[in-house]
Amino acid sequence: MQIGYARVSTSSQTIDGQIDALTKAGCDRVFEETASGARTDRPALRQALEMTRGGDVIVCYRLDRIARSLPHLIEIMDDLNKRGIGFKSLSENLDTTSSGGRLVFHIFGAVANFELDLIRERTKAGLDAARKRGRVGGRPSKMNQVQINSAKDMFAKGVPATEFAAAFSVSVPTLYRTIPASSR
């Protein structure tokens, strides 16, 4: 049995093209879903995976429809493989029911993992170079050092935090985050 899975990220997108392609590919049943691919708790995907039995095949239109991240895709593929379930992606022409398809899937996975590692290394090198030049990432502080010192004095005098948070035009949580408990 072939079980199809179709997903769009927002309700403004149309799922019809995926359903047509999955039906044309011979899917006996198609599960539809509107959910972000970043979510791993997608009910229709869970139902499709639970419905499959050994010898069945999960079919999707594109790899990014079933999983957004490589680790999630590999987790799904490992589960399917252990249960004797095949996987097909129509756009990538990937079919793990054949030995060649399994090989191609592993090569895709290895290349994607390699690419992620390269991106991490380049990002880390760029951040290190920026730090050496004195640039610090992140949002600018809401309070300058004079305001921080004044706030510490107000804390010491017992002035309510809401009062001087308003005076500095910051929220109370920002005030508590900026001035650690040991300095109050």
Side-chain angles (χ1 to χ4, degrees), residues 2 10 25 37 39 49 53 98 101 120 150 181:
Q2 291 196 105
T10 64
R39 290 182 48 198
L49 294 173
R53 302 290 175 250
S98 70
R120 282 188 201 109
S150 296

Side-chain angles (χ1 to χ4, degrees), residues 78-128:
D78 284 345
D79 175 57
L80 295 176
N81 189 37
K82 287 176 189 170
R83 295 172 41 210
I85 299 165
F87 174 78
K88 287 183 184 179
S89 175
L90 302 178
S91 294
E92 290 87 3
N93 200 21
L94 180 65
D95 182 354
T96 66
T97 61
S98 70
S99 57
R102 285 188 296 277
L103 173 65
V104 169
F105 173 75
H106 288 291
I107 290 171
F108 280 175
V111 169
N113 218 12
F114 176 69
E115 183 180 3
L116 285 173
D117 288 343
L118 287 177
I119 291 168
R120 282 188 201 109
E121 288 173 9
R122 284 193 305 263
T123 302
K124 185 179 180 320
L127 290 172
D128 289 344

